[in-house]
Amino acid sequence: MDGRNYINGEWVPGSGPTFETHNPASTGEVLGAFPRSGPFEADSAVEAARAAYPAWSHLSRIRRAEYLWDFCNLARAQTEELATLLARESGKVMSEARADIVEGIHMAQFVFGRARMSYGDVVASEIPGKDAFALRKPKGVVVAITPWNFPFAIPVWLIAPSLLEGNTVAFKPAEETPLLGQKIVELFHQAGLPKGVLNLVQGYGEDAGWPLVTHPDVNVILFTGSYEVGSRIRQAAAKDYNKLAACEMGGKNAVIVLDDADLKTAVNASVMSAFRTTGQRCTAASRLIVHEKILSPFKEAFVNTARRLTIGDPLNNNTFMGPVISQPAMHKVLGYNDLARKEGVTVLLDGGRLSGKDYDRGYFLSPFIYQTENRPGMRCIREEVFGPHVAVIPFRTLEEAAFIFNDVEYGFSLAIITEDYRKARFLREECEFGVGYVNLPTIGAEVHLPFGGLKKSGSGLPSGATLIDVVTHRIAWTINHDREIKLAQGLSAEIT
Ligand code: UN1
Protein backbone atom coordinates (compact mmCIF):
# COMPACT_ATOMS: atom_id res chain seq x y z
CA MET A 1 0.00 0.00 0.00
CA ASP A 2 1.05 3.52 -0.82
CA GLY A 3 0.64 5.13 2.58
CA ARG A 4 -0.64 8.69 2.87
CA ASN A 5 -1.80 11.16 5.44
CA TYR A 6 -5.33 12.49 5.08
CA ILE A 7 -5.58 16.18 5.82
CA ASN A 8 -8.57 18.38 5.07
CA GLY A 9 -10.11 15.78 2.77
CA GLU A 10 -6.94 15.23 0.69
CA TRP A 11 -4.65 12.18 0.59
CA VAL A 12 -1.23 13.71 0.95
CA PRO A 13 2.18 12.03 0.85
CA GLY A 14 4.53 12.95 3.69
CA SER A 15 7.25 15.48 3.08
CA GLY A 16 10.02 13.47 4.75
CA PRO A 17 11.04 9.85 5.33
CA THR A 18 8.71 6.86 5.37
CA PHE A 19 8.37 3.75 7.55
CA GLU A 20 7.25 0.26 6.61
CA THR A 21 4.69 -2.09 8.09
CA HIS A 22 5.46 -5.84 8.20
CA ASN A 23 3.59 -9.05 8.80
CA PRO A 24 4.74 -10.23 12.27
CA ALA A 25 4.10 -13.85 11.20
CA SER A 26 6.37 -13.47 8.18
CA THR A 27 8.58 -10.45 8.64
CA GLY A 28 9.89 -10.41 5.06
CA GLU A 29 6.37 -9.48 3.92
CA VAL A 30 6.15 -5.68 3.71
CA LEU A 31 2.56 -4.43 3.59
CA GLY A 32 3.20 -0.79 2.80
CA ALA A 33 5.25 2.34 3.35
CA PHE A 34 3.78 5.28 5.25
CA PRO A 35 4.78 8.89 5.87
CA ARG A 36 6.84 9.41 8.99
CA SER A 37 5.06 12.61 9.93
CA GLY A 38 6.25 15.34 12.26
CA PRO A 39 5.00 18.62 13.73
CA PHE A 40 4.14 20.11 10.33
CA GLU A 41 1.66 17.32 9.50
CA ALA A 42 0.31 17.28 13.07
CA ASP A 43 -0.31 21.04 12.96
CA SER A 44 -2.01 20.77 9.55
CA ALA A 45 -4.31 18.02 10.86
CA VAL A 46 -5.34 20.02 13.94
CA GLU A 47 -5.83 23.19 11.88
CA ALA A 48 -8.03 21.31 9.39
CA ALA A 49 -10.06 19.80 12.24
CA ARG A 50 -10.47 23.24 13.86
CA ALA A 51 -11.58 24.81 10.59
CA ALA A 52 -14.15 22.04 10.00
CA TYR A 53 -15.53 22.23 13.55
CA PRO A 54 -18.10 25.08 13.24
CA ALA A 55 -19.93 23.59 10.25
CA TRP A 56 -19.77 20.01 11.57
CA SER A 57 -20.98 20.88 15.04
CA HIS A 58 -23.88 22.86 13.57
CA LEU A 59 -25.02 20.00 11.36
CA SER A 60 -27.99 18.08 12.75
CA ARG A 61 -27.10 15.22 15.05
CA ILE A 62 -29.14 12.92 12.80
CA ARG A 63 -27.23 13.98 9.71
CA ARG A 64 -23.91 13.42 11.45
CA ALA A 65 -25.05 9.94 12.44
CA GLU A 66 -25.93 9.09 8.84
CA TYR A 67 -22.25 9.27 7.90
CA LEU A 68 -21.65 6.58 10.52
CA TRP A 69 -24.41 4.48 9.00
CA ASP A 70 -22.71 4.71 5.61
CA PHE A 71 -19.36 3.89 7.21
CA CYS A 72 -20.96 0.81 8.78
CA ASN A 73 -22.41 -0.44 5.55
CA LEU A 74 -19.12 -0.02 3.72
CA ALA A 75 -17.21 -1.81 6.51
CA ARG A 76 -19.75 -4.64 6.67
CA ALA A 77 -19.49 -5.26 2.93
CA GLN A 78 -15.69 -5.61 3.27
CA THR A 79 -15.42 -7.43 6.61
CA GLU A 80 -13.54 -10.40 5.19
CA GLU A 81 -11.00 -8.31 3.23
CA LEU A 82 -10.47 -5.97 6.17
CA ALA A 83 -10.06 -8.91 8.56
CA THR A 84 -7.47 -10.53 6.29
CA LEU A 85 -5.44 -7.32 6.11
CA LEU A 86 -5.79 -6.91 9.87
CA ALA A 87 -4.53 -10.46 10.48
CA ARG A 88 -1.56 -9.85 8.19
CA GLU A 89 -0.64 -6.55 9.77
CA SER A 90 -1.21 -7.33 13.47
CA GLY A 91 -0.70 -11.11 13.61
CA LYS A 92 -4.18 -11.64 15.10
CA VAL A 93 -5.76 -14.93 14.07
CA MET A 94 -8.65 -14.75 11.60
CA SER A 95 -11.50 -15.26 14.09
CA GLU A 96 -10.09 -12.47 16.26
CA ALA A 97 -9.39 -10.28 13.24
CA ARG A 98 -13.05 -10.63 12.19
CA ALA A 99 -14.18 -9.89 15.75
CA ASP A 100 -12.02 -6.74 15.73
CA ILE A 101 -13.79 -5.47 12.59
CA VAL A 102 -17.19 -6.48 14.00
CA GLU A 103 -16.47 -4.67 17.29
CA GLY A 104 -15.74 -1.47 15.37
CA ILE A 105 -18.92 -1.90 13.34
CA HIS A 106 -20.86 -2.47 16.57
CA MET A 107 -19.62 0.81 17.99
CA ALA A 108 -20.62 2.70 14.84
CA GLN A 109 -24.06 1.01 14.98
CA PHE A 110 -24.49 1.84 18.65
CA VAL A 111 -23.51 5.46 18.09
CA PHE A 112 -25.80 5.70 15.07
CA GLY A 113 -28.71 4.47 17.19
CA ARG A 114 -27.91 7.02 19.87
CA ALA A 115 -28.46 9.87 17.44
CA ARG A 116 -32.25 9.72 17.73
CA MET A 117 -32.22 9.19 21.47
CA SER A 118 -32.07 11.65 24.32
CA TYR A 119 -28.68 13.22 24.91
CA GLY A 120 -29.68 15.25 27.93
CA ASP A 121 -32.13 15.38 30.83
CA VAL A 122 -35.09 17.51 31.80
CA VAL A 123 -34.84 18.23 35.51
CA ALA A 124 -37.18 19.78 38.05
CA SER A 125 -36.77 23.35 39.25
CA GLU A 126 -37.65 24.74 42.66
CA ILE A 127 -39.64 27.40 40.81
CA PRO A 128 -42.72 26.05 38.99
CA GLY A 129 -42.32 28.55 36.14
CA LYS A 130 -38.82 27.39 35.29
CA ASP A 131 -37.88 24.53 32.96
CA ALA A 132 -34.41 23.22 33.58
CA PHE A 133 -32.32 21.02 31.29
CA ALA A 134 -28.96 19.30 31.49
CA LEU A 135 -27.65 19.34 27.92
CA ARG A 136 -24.42 18.39 26.18
CA LYS A 137 -22.15 20.33 23.88
CA PRO A 138 -19.21 19.00 21.86
CA LYS A 139 -15.76 19.82 23.16
CA GLY A 140 -14.09 20.75 19.87
CA VAL A 141 -11.02 19.04 18.41
CA VAL A 142 -10.31 15.48 19.53
CA VAL A 143 -6.98 13.68 19.06
CA ALA A 144 -7.24 9.87 18.94
CA ILE A 145 -4.01 7.90 19.44
CA THR A 146 -4.68 4.19 19.16
CA PRO A 147 -2.86 0.87 19.68
CA TRP A 148 -1.94 -1.95 17.31
CA ASN A 149 -3.74 -4.73 19.22
CA PHE A 150 -7.22 -3.56 18.12
CA PRO A 151 -6.27 -1.65 14.97
CA PHE A 152 -9.87 -1.35 13.72
CA ALA A 153 -12.12 -1.54 16.80
CA ILE A 154 -10.37 0.92 19.11
CA PRO A 155 -10.02 3.75 16.55
CA VAL A 156 -13.73 3.39 15.70
CA TRP A 157 -14.61 3.28 19.43
CA LEU A 158 -12.93 6.65 19.82
CA ILE A 159 -13.74 8.33 16.51
CA ALA A 160 -17.44 7.39 16.10
CA PRO A 161 -18.76 8.85 19.39
CA SER A 162 -16.54 11.94 18.97
CA LEU A 163 -18.02 12.62 15.53
CA LEU A 164 -21.63 11.98 16.54
CA GLU A 165 -21.37 14.52 19.34
CA GLY A 166 -20.12 17.18 16.91
CA ASN A 167 -16.36 17.08 17.49
CA THR A 168 -13.78 16.88 14.73
CA VAL A 169 -10.84 14.51 14.92
CA ALA A 170 -7.10 14.14 14.26
CA PHE A 171 -6.23 10.45 14.34
CA LYS A 172 -2.80 8.83 14.75
CA PRO A 173 -2.82 5.03 14.53
CA ALA A 174 -0.04 2.92 16.05
CA GLU A 175 3.11 2.79 13.92
CA GLU A 176 2.79 -1.03 13.89
CA THR A 177 -0.63 -0.90 12.16
CA PRO A 178 -0.77 2.16 9.89
CA LEU A 179 -2.45 0.20 7.10
CA LEU A 180 -5.61 -0.50 9.09
CA GLY A 181 -5.59 3.12 10.24
CA GLN A 182 -5.59 4.25 6.63
CA LYS A 183 -8.37 1.74 5.76
CA ILE A 184 -10.64 3.23 8.44
CA VAL A 185 -10.14 6.72 7.06
CA GLU A 186 -10.72 5.48 3.50
CA LEU A 187 -14.10 4.11 4.60
CA PHE A 188 -15.06 7.47 6.14
CA HIS A 189 -13.84 9.18 2.96
CA GLN A 190 -16.03 6.88 0.85
CA ALA A 191 -18.93 7.62 3.20
CA GLY A 192 -18.57 11.25 2.09
CA LEU A 193 -17.52 12.75 5.43
CA PRO A 194 -16.99 16.50 4.88
CA LYS A 195 -13.37 17.61 4.55
CA GLY A 196 -11.42 18.29 7.72
CA VAL A 197 -13.85 16.41 9.99
CA LEU A 198 -11.48 13.43 10.29
CA ASN A 199 -7.75 13.75 9.62
CA LEU A 200 -5.07 11.06 9.60
CA VAL A 201 -1.48 11.55 10.67
CA GLN A 202 0.80 8.53 10.26
CA GLY A 203 4.02 8.17 12.18
CA TYR A 204 5.73 7.52 15.49
CA GLY A 205 4.67 8.68 18.92
CA GLU A 206 7.52 11.09 19.58
CA ASP A 207 7.51 12.70 16.10
CA ALA A 208 3.82 12.78 15.25
CA GLY A 209 1.89 11.90 18.42
CA TRP A 210 3.53 14.39 20.76
CA PRO A 211 2.91 17.48 18.57
CA LEU A 212 -0.76 16.44 18.41
CA VAL A 213 -0.96 16.03 22.20
CA THR A 214 0.69 19.37 22.94
CA HIS A 215 -1.05 21.39 20.22
CA PRO A 216 -2.80 24.32 21.95
CA ASP A 217 -5.91 24.03 19.78
CA VAL A 218 -6.74 20.45 20.85
CA ASN A 219 -9.48 19.95 23.45
CA VAL A 220 -9.55 16.21 24.10
CA ILE A 221 -6.89 13.51 23.82
CA LEU A 222 -8.14 9.93 23.66
CA PHE A 223 -5.29 7.52 24.13
CA THR A 224 -5.08 3.74 24.45
CA GLY A 225 -1.65 2.27 25.14
CA SER A 226 0.94 1.92 27.87
CA TYR A 227 0.82 3.56 31.29
CA GLU A 228 4.19 5.25 30.68
CA VAL A 229 2.92 7.11 27.61
CA GLY A 230 -0.56 7.70 29.04
CA SER A 231 0.88 9.24 32.16
CA ARG A 232 3.02 11.66 30.11
CA ILE A 233 -0.02 12.61 28.04
CA ARG A 234 -2.12 13.29 31.14
CA GLN A 235 0.58 15.50 32.63
CA ALA A 236 0.96 17.44 29.37
CA ALA A 237 -2.82 17.91 29.09
CA ALA A 238 -3.10 19.16 32.66
CA LYS A 239 -0.97 22.18 31.76
CA ASP A 240 -3.60 23.51 29.36
CA TYR A 241 -6.77 25.08 30.73
CA ASN A 242 -8.92 23.68 27.91
CA LYS A 243 -7.59 20.16 27.50
CA LEU A 244 -8.66 16.78 28.86
CA ALA A 245 -6.88 13.43 28.39
CA ALA A 246 -8.78 10.14 28.74
CA CYS A 247 -6.38 7.20 28.76
CA GLU A 248 -6.87 3.44 28.69
CA MET A 249 -3.65 1.85 29.82
CA GLY A 250 -2.20 -1.44 30.94
CA GLY A 251 -3.43 -4.30 33.06
CA LYS A 252 -2.26 -7.10 35.34
CA ASN A 253 -5.63 -8.78 35.30
CA ALA A 254 -6.65 -12.01 36.96
CA VAL A 255 -9.04 -14.92 36.88
CA ILE A 256 -9.99 -15.97 40.41
CA VAL A 257 -10.93 -19.66 40.53
CA LEU A 258 -12.89 -20.54 43.67
CA ASP A 259 -13.01 -24.00 45.27
CA ASP A 260 -16.53 -24.67 43.98
CA ALA A 261 -15.66 -23.72 40.38
CA ASP A 262 -16.72 -25.86 37.45
CA LEU A 263 -13.31 -27.06 36.25
CA LYS A 264 -14.15 -26.97 32.54
CA THR A 265 -15.36 -23.36 32.80
CA ALA A 266 -12.30 -22.41 34.84
CA VAL A 267 -9.87 -23.87 32.31
CA ASN A 268 -11.66 -22.48 29.27
CA ALA A 269 -11.96 -19.00 30.79
CA SER A 270 -8.30 -19.05 31.85
CA VAL A 271 -7.03 -20.14 28.43
CA MET A 272 -9.12 -17.44 26.70
CA SER A 273 -7.97 -14.80 29.19
CA ALA A 274 -4.28 -15.68 29.05
CA PHE A 275 -3.70 -16.66 25.44
CA ARG A 276 -6.29 -15.05 23.17
CA THR A 277 -4.53 -12.37 21.09
CA THR A 278 -1.34 -14.09 22.30
CA GLY A 279 -1.88 -12.37 25.66
CA GLN A 280 -1.72 -8.93 24.04
CA ARG A 281 -4.92 -7.30 25.35
CA CYS A 282 -5.21 -4.73 28.07
CA THR A 283 -7.89 -7.10 29.39
CA ALA A 284 -5.76 -10.28 29.15
CA ALA A 285 -5.12 -12.17 32.40
CA SER A 286 -1.54 -12.89 33.42
CA ARG A 287 -2.51 -14.13 36.89
CA LEU A 288 -4.71 -17.10 37.74
CA ILE A 289 -5.53 -16.88 41.44
CA VAL A 290 -6.66 -20.41 42.34
CA HIS A 291 -8.07 -21.88 45.57
CA GLU A 292 -5.63 -24.44 46.97
CA LYS A 293 -8.35 -27.13 47.10
CA ILE A 294 -8.78 -27.10 43.33
CA LEU A 295 -5.16 -26.24 42.51
CA SER A 296 -3.92 -29.70 41.39
CA PRO A 297 -6.71 -30.64 38.99
CA PHE A 298 -6.84 -27.07 37.68
CA LYS A 299 -3.10 -26.90 37.00
CA GLU A 300 -3.08 -30.23 35.26
CA ALA A 301 -6.02 -29.41 32.97
CA PHE A 302 -4.83 -25.85 32.27
CA VAL A 303 -1.25 -26.83 31.41
CA ASN A 304 -2.40 -29.75 29.25
CA THR A 305 -4.73 -27.49 27.29
CA ALA A 306 -2.09 -24.78 26.89
CA ARG A 307 0.43 -27.36 25.67
CA ARG A 308 -1.92 -28.37 22.86
CA LEU A 309 -2.73 -24.88 21.51
CA THR A 310 -2.21 -24.49 17.77
CA ILE A 311 0.37 -21.78 17.24
CA GLY A 312 1.17 -20.57 13.74
CA ASP A 313 -0.07 -18.72 10.68
CA PRO A 314 -2.87 -16.30 11.68
CA LEU A 315 -4.50 -16.75 8.26
CA ASN A 316 -5.07 -20.44 8.89
CA ASN A 317 -8.55 -20.80 10.41
CA ASN A 318 -7.37 -23.51 12.84
CA THR A 319 -4.68 -21.38 14.46
CA PHE A 320 -5.43 -20.38 18.05
CA MET A 321 -2.38 -18.22 18.70
CA GLY A 322 -0.48 -16.05 16.24
CA PRO A 323 2.84 -14.26 16.75
CA VAL A 324 3.49 -11.31 19.04
CA ILE A 325 3.61 -7.97 17.28
CA SER A 326 7.33 -7.22 17.00
CA GLN A 327 10.87 -8.14 17.90
CA PRO A 328 10.99 -5.78 20.91
CA ALA A 329 7.67 -7.26 22.11
CA MET A 330 9.11 -10.77 21.78
CA HIS A 331 12.25 -9.82 23.71
CA LYS A 332 10.16 -8.18 26.41
CA VAL A 333 8.15 -11.38 26.96
CA LEU A 334 11.28 -13.58 26.91
CA GLY A 335 12.87 -11.17 29.40
CA TYR A 336 9.91 -11.60 31.77
CA ASN A 337 10.10 -15.39 31.40
CA ASP A 338 13.75 -15.16 32.52
CA LEU A 339 12.88 -12.76 35.30
CA ALA A 340 10.25 -15.19 36.63
CA ARG A 341 12.87 -17.98 36.75
CA LYS A 342 15.25 -15.64 38.57
CA GLU A 343 12.53 -14.71 41.02
CA GLY A 344 12.28 -18.36 42.00
CA VAL A 345 8.95 -19.50 40.51
CA THR A 346 8.11 -23.15 39.77
CA VAL A 347 7.86 -23.46 36.00
CA LEU A 348 4.88 -25.58 34.90
CA LEU A 349 5.21 -25.12 31.13
CA ASP A 350 8.49 -23.76 29.86
CA GLY A 351 7.47 -21.70 26.85
CA GLY A 352 9.71 -19.57 24.74
CA ARG A 353 10.54 -18.67 21.16
CA LEU A 354 9.42 -21.27 18.62
CA SER A 355 11.87 -22.12 15.88
CA GLY A 356 12.08 -24.23 12.76
CA LYS A 357 10.35 -23.91 9.38
CA ASP A 358 7.70 -21.17 9.28
CA TYR A 359 8.32 -20.15 12.89
CA ASP A 360 11.70 -18.65 12.03
CA ARG A 361 10.03 -16.06 9.83
CA GLY A 362 7.98 -14.53 12.62
CA TYR A 363 7.81 -13.70 16.32
CA PHE A 364 6.23 -16.89 17.62
CA LEU A 365 6.16 -17.71 21.32
CA SER A 366 4.66 -20.64 23.18
CA PRO A 367 2.90 -20.28 26.57
CA PHE A 368 5.04 -19.81 29.67
CA ILE A 369 3.18 -20.94 32.80
CA TYR A 370 4.48 -20.97 36.37
CA GLN A 371 3.34 -21.29 39.95
CA THR A 372 4.31 -18.94 42.73
CA GLU A 373 3.10 -17.59 46.02
CA ASN A 374 2.18 -13.89 45.94
CA ARG A 375 5.45 -12.73 47.46
CA PRO A 376 5.97 -8.99 48.06
CA GLY A 377 8.23 -7.23 45.59
CA MET A 378 8.07 -9.93 42.89
CA ARG A 379 8.02 -8.09 39.57
CA CYS A 380 6.87 -10.88 37.20
CA ILE A 381 3.47 -11.07 38.93
CA ARG A 382 3.09 -7.27 39.14
CA GLU A 383 4.31 -5.79 35.85
CA GLU A 384 2.46 -5.96 32.56
CA VAL A 385 4.06 -8.45 30.15
CA PHE A 386 1.65 -8.37 27.15
CA GLY A 387 2.34 -11.88 25.93
CA PRO A 388 1.67 -15.57 26.66
CA HIS A 389 3.13 -15.42 30.19
CA VAL A 390 0.91 -16.43 33.10
CA ALA A 391 1.28 -17.11 36.82
CA VAL A 392 -0.80 -19.54 38.86
CA ILE A 393 -1.04 -18.13 42.40
CA PRO A 394 -2.70 -20.23 45.13
CA PHE A 395 -4.96 -18.75 47.83
CA ARG A 396 -6.77 -20.07 50.91
CA THR A 397 -9.48 -17.56 51.89
CA LEU A 398 -11.69 -15.17 49.92
CA GLU A 399 -10.09 -12.23 51.73
CA GLU A 400 -6.68 -13.43 50.58
CA ALA A 401 -7.92 -13.77 46.97
CA ALA A 402 -9.11 -10.15 47.04
CA PHE A 403 -5.82 -9.04 48.62
CA ILE A 404 -3.77 -10.76 45.90
CA PHE A 405 -5.97 -9.35 43.16
CA ASN A 406 -5.47 -5.82 44.47
CA ASP A 407 -1.76 -6.24 45.22
CA VAL A 408 -0.71 -4.72 41.86
CA GLU A 409 -0.75 -1.16 40.57
CA TYR A 410 -3.24 -1.95 37.78
CA GLY A 411 -7.01 -2.52 37.96
CA PHE A 412 -8.55 -3.34 34.61
CA SER A 413 -10.44 -6.62 34.38
CA LEU A 414 -11.44 -9.43 36.72
CA ALA A 415 -13.08 -12.81 36.16
CA ILE A 416 -14.45 -14.98 38.97
CA ILE A 417 -15.19 -18.65 38.43
CA THR A 418 -17.71 -19.88 40.98
CA GLU A 419 -21.22 -21.28 41.41
CA ASP A 420 -21.70 -19.23 44.58
CA TYR A 421 -23.23 -15.82 43.98
CA ARG A 422 -22.43 -14.64 47.50
CA LYS A 423 -18.73 -15.20 47.04
CA ALA A 424 -18.80 -13.55 43.61
CA ARG A 425 -20.48 -10.52 45.14
CA PHE A 426 -17.94 -10.34 47.95
CA LEU A 427 -15.11 -10.21 45.38
CA ARG A 428 -16.98 -7.69 43.24
CA GLU A 429 -17.11 -5.39 46.23
CA GLU A 430 -13.54 -5.95 47.49
CA CYS A 431 -11.55 -5.99 44.22
CA GLU A 432 -10.42 -2.88 42.37
CA PHE A 433 -11.28 -3.22 38.68
CA GLY A 434 -13.28 -1.58 35.89
CA VAL A 435 -14.56 -4.56 33.88
CA GLY A 436 -15.71 -7.67 35.75
CA TYR A 437 -17.09 -11.09 34.80
CA VAL A 438 -18.48 -14.19 36.48
CA ASN A 439 -17.91 -17.57 34.79
CA LEU A 440 -16.37 -15.86 31.78
CA PRO A 441 -12.89 -14.83 30.67
CA THR A 442 -11.42 -11.38 31.48
CA ILE A 443 -11.73 -10.47 27.78
CA GLY A 444 -14.71 -9.91 25.52
CA ALA A 445 -16.26 -6.59 26.53
CA GLU A 446 -19.19 -5.25 24.50
CA VAL A 447 -19.33 -1.68 23.17
CA HIS A 448 -22.51 -0.56 24.92
CA LEU A 449 -20.98 -1.00 28.40
CA PRO A 450 -18.48 1.28 30.11
CA PHE A 451 -14.92 0.17 29.36
CA GLY A 452 -12.00 1.29 31.50
CA GLY A 453 -9.90 0.45 34.50
CA LEU A 454 -8.72 1.93 37.78
CA LYS A 455 -5.27 2.74 39.16
CA LYS A 456 -2.58 2.61 36.45
CA SER A 457 -5.10 1.08 34.00
CA GLY A 458 -7.24 4.14 33.43
CA SER A 459 -7.78 7.80 34.06
CA GLY A 460 -11.24 7.41 35.57
CA LEU A 461 -12.84 8.35 32.27
CA PRO A 462 -13.96 5.05 30.75
CA SER A 463 -14.58 4.64 27.05
CA GLY A 464 -17.09 2.30 25.40
CA ALA A 465 -20.63 3.50 26.07
CA THR A 466 -19.40 6.18 28.47
CA LEU A 467 -17.03 7.93 26.06
CA ILE A 468 -19.84 10.43 25.46
CA ASP A 469 -18.99 11.94 28.87
CA VAL A 470 -15.43 12.60 27.72
CA VAL A 471 -16.15 14.17 24.33
CA THR A 472 -18.98 16.44 25.50
CA HIS A 473 -19.37 18.88 28.31
CA ARG A 474 -22.62 19.14 30.17
CA ILE A 475 -24.35 22.47 30.42
CA ALA A 476 -27.26 23.58 32.61
CA TRP A 477 -29.97 25.47 30.73
CA THR A 478 -32.88 27.10 32.58
CA ILE A 479 -35.79 28.99 31.01
CA ASN A 480 -38.25 31.16 32.91
CA HIS A 481 -41.89 31.05 31.75
CA ASP A 482 -43.20 33.51 34.36
CA ARG A 483 -43.42 37.22 33.68
CA GLU A 484 -41.36 37.99 36.73
CA ILE A 485 -38.06 36.68 38.03
CA LYS A 486 -38.22 34.19 40.91
CA LEU A 487 -34.99 32.76 42.25
CA ALA A 488 -34.08 29.43 43.82
CA GLN A 489 -33.09 29.07 47.49
CA GLY A 490 -35.76 31.65 48.41
CA LEU A 491 -33.42 34.41 47.26
CA SER A 492 -35.30 37.67 46.86
CA ALA A 493 -35.44 39.22 43.38
CA GLU A 494 -36.63 42.56 44.81
CA ILE A 495 -34.42 45.52 43.97
CA THR A 496 -34.62 48.01 46.81
C1 UN1 B 1 -7.82 -3.79 24.59
O1 UN1 B 1 -7.20 -4.81 24.81
O2 UN1 B 1 -7.24 -2.68 24.56
O3 UN1 B 1 -12.75 -6.78 26.16
C2 UN1 B 1 -9.27 -3.77 24.28
C3 UN1 B 1 -11.94 -7.04 25.29
C4 UN1 B 1 -12.06 -6.36 23.95
C5 UN1 B 1 -11.36 -5.04 23.95
C6 UN1 B 1 -9.95 -5.09 24.44
N1 UN1 B 1 -13.44 -6.20 23.63
O4 UN1 B 1 -11.04 -7.83 25.47
Side-chain angles (χ1 to χ4, degrees):
M1 179 188 263
D2 175 22
R4 301 272 165 131
N5 287 327
Y6 182 74
I7 314 262
N8 205 26
E10 303 285 335
W11 292 102
V12 282
S15 47
T18 56
F19 66 100
E20 288 178 340
T21 177
H22 301 263
N23 180 346
S26 179
T27 53
E29 185 187 335
V30 175
L31 299 169
F34 294 82
R36 193 167 167 175
S37 313
F40 172 75
E41 288 82 0
D43 286 357
S44 313
V46 174
E47 278 159 29
R50 177 57 64 192
Y53 176 68
W56 180 250
S57 57
H58 287 115
L59 216 57
S60 97
R61 191 179 172 79
I62 308 292
R63 180 68 195 107
R64 287 197 299 260
E66 279 166 353
Y67 290 105
L68 297 171
W69 172 257
D70 291 342
F71 167 86
C72 260
N73 288 335
L74 290 162
R76 285 185 64 167
Q78 296 170 41
T79 300
E80 207 54 27
E81 294 92 300
L82 289 167
T84 307
L85 279 178
L86 193 149
R88 285 171 63 199
E89 190 176 39
S90 69
K92 288 173 83 161
V93 299
M94 276 308 286
S95 78
E96 292 197 55
R98 283 187 200 100
D100 193 322
I101 306 295
V102 168
E103 198 165 350
I105 291 171
H106 283 170
M107 181 52 108
Q109 287 174 330
F110 172 64
V111 167
F112 171 75
R114 286 270 281 254
R116 287 179 190 266
M117 291 166 69
S118 143
Y119 65 103
D121 300 306
V122 184
V123 293
S125 167
E126 289 172 31
I127 312 295
K130 282 187 191 171
D131 281 345
F133 304 86
L135 302 177
R136 290 179 191 271
K137 280 191 173 193
K139 288 236 172 99
V141 174
V142 171
V143 163
I145 300 181
T146 57
W148 47 263
N149 69 336
F150 279 81
F152 190 85
I154 291 182
V156 181
W157 281 14
L158 304 183
I159 293 168
S162 300
L163 295 183
L164 176 74
E165 299 303 333
N167 304 281
T168 53
V169 177
F171 163 42
K172 191 199 92 63
E175 55 265 29
E176 292 85 352
T177 51
L179 196 160
L180 257 288
Q182 181 157 332
K183 283 281 160 201
I184 292 169
V185 178
E186 280 177 12
L187 293 172
F188 275 110
H189 176 77
Q190 285 164 29
L193 200 69
K195 64 180 189 157
V197 170
L198 173 63
N199 304 277
L200 171 71
V201 182
Q202 296 284 13
Y204 288 74
E206 286 298 331
D207 315 337
W210 200 245
L212 288 172
V213 166
T214 50
H215 195 293
D217 221 6
V218 164
N219 303 103
V220 183
I221 301 147
L222 304 174
F223 168 78
T224 303
S226 72
Y227 172 75
E228 287 64 34
V229 176
S231 164
R232 275 183 67 198
I233 291 177
R234 289 178 72 196
Q235 290 174 48
K239 291 193 191 127
D240 271 314
Y241 69 91
N242 61 346
K243 212 179 259 183
L244 176 79
C247 301
E248 297 300 337
M249 298 169 286
K252 193 70 187 175
N253 311 304
V255 180
I256 303 182
V257 182
L258 301 191
D259 51 355
D260 67 342
D262 173 69
L263 193 61
K264 197 164 140 264
T265 306
V267 170
N268 187 306
S270 299
V271 169
M272 292 290 149
S273 304
F275 305 127
R276 268 272 176 240
T277 331
T278 320
Q280 302 170 106
R281 290 192 188 216
C282 57
T283 50
S286 47
R287 298 182 299 153
L288 309 174
I289 305 172
V290 184
H291 195 283
E292 62 176 358
K293 270 200 208 141
I294 198 173
L295 188 63
S296 293
F298 173 82
K299 269 194 314 196
E300 195 188 327
F302 177 69
V303 171
N304 281 337
T305 312
R307 204 193 298 277
R308 287 199 307 268
L309 296 179
T310 323
I311 304 169
D313 183 3
L315 296 176
N316 180 337
N317 272 318
N318 292 326
T319 305
F320 184 86
M321 229 169 69
V324 293
I325 187 71
S326 65
Q327 196 164 31
M330 181 175 73
H331 287 302
K332 181 179 173 194
V333 179
L334 293 172
Y336 273 103
N337 295 354
D338 285 343
L339 177 69
R341 289 189 196 96
K342 280 195 203 106
E343 291 187 314
V345 305
T346 308
V347 176
L348 304 176
L349 185 63
D350 197 3
R353 183 164 192 186
L354 294 169
S355 57
K357 271 207 329 182
D358 294 348
Y359 287 140
D360 290 337
R361 290 190 294 170
Y363 310 121
F364 290 96
L365 295 173
S366 61
F368 183 79
I369 306 172
Y370 55 97
Q371 183 178 332
T372 178
E373 289 294 319
N374 185 62
R375 289 200 302 271
M378 267 179 89
R379 287 175 50 207
C380 63
I381 52 168
R382 289 191 173 74
E383 294 174 14
E384 186 179 48
V385 178
F386 231 57
H389 168 112
V390 62
V392 178
I393 308 173
F395 75 90
R396 288 110 210 132
T397 64
L398 267 190
E399 288 75 10
E400 192 191 358
F403 174 84
I404 296 171
F405 182 85
N406 291 335
D407 194 21
V408 292
E409 289 178 326
Y410 293 99
F412 213 122
S413 63
L414 157 71
I416 302 160
I417 314 297
T418 183
E419 301 294 309
D420 185 333
Y421 64 89
R422 289 192 178 87
K423 290 181 178 164
R425 186 172 188 270
F426 174 87
L427 291 171
R428 185 189 76 199
E429 296 306 302
E430 297 307 312
C431 294
E432 296 163 329
F433 64 93
V435 179
Y437 299 95
V438 178
N439 292 328
L440 284 166
T442 54
I443 64 163
E446 298 180 47
V447 299
H448 48 285
L449 285 161
F451 184 83
L454 304 179
K455 296 156 88 177
K456 276 189 174 177
S457 297
S459 47
L461 299 164
S463 84
T466 38
L467 193 76
I468 184 173
D469 294 328
V470 180
V471 296
T472 56
H473 65 94
R474 304 207 76 180
I475 58 162
W477 184 245
T478 307
I479 304 165
N480 182 18
H481 295 267
D482 285 342
R483 294 280 171 196
E484 58 190 284
I485 292 177
K486 290 186 192 141
L487 293 173
Q489 298 102 33
L491 183 65
S492 164
E494 296 276 308
I495 300 175
T496 52

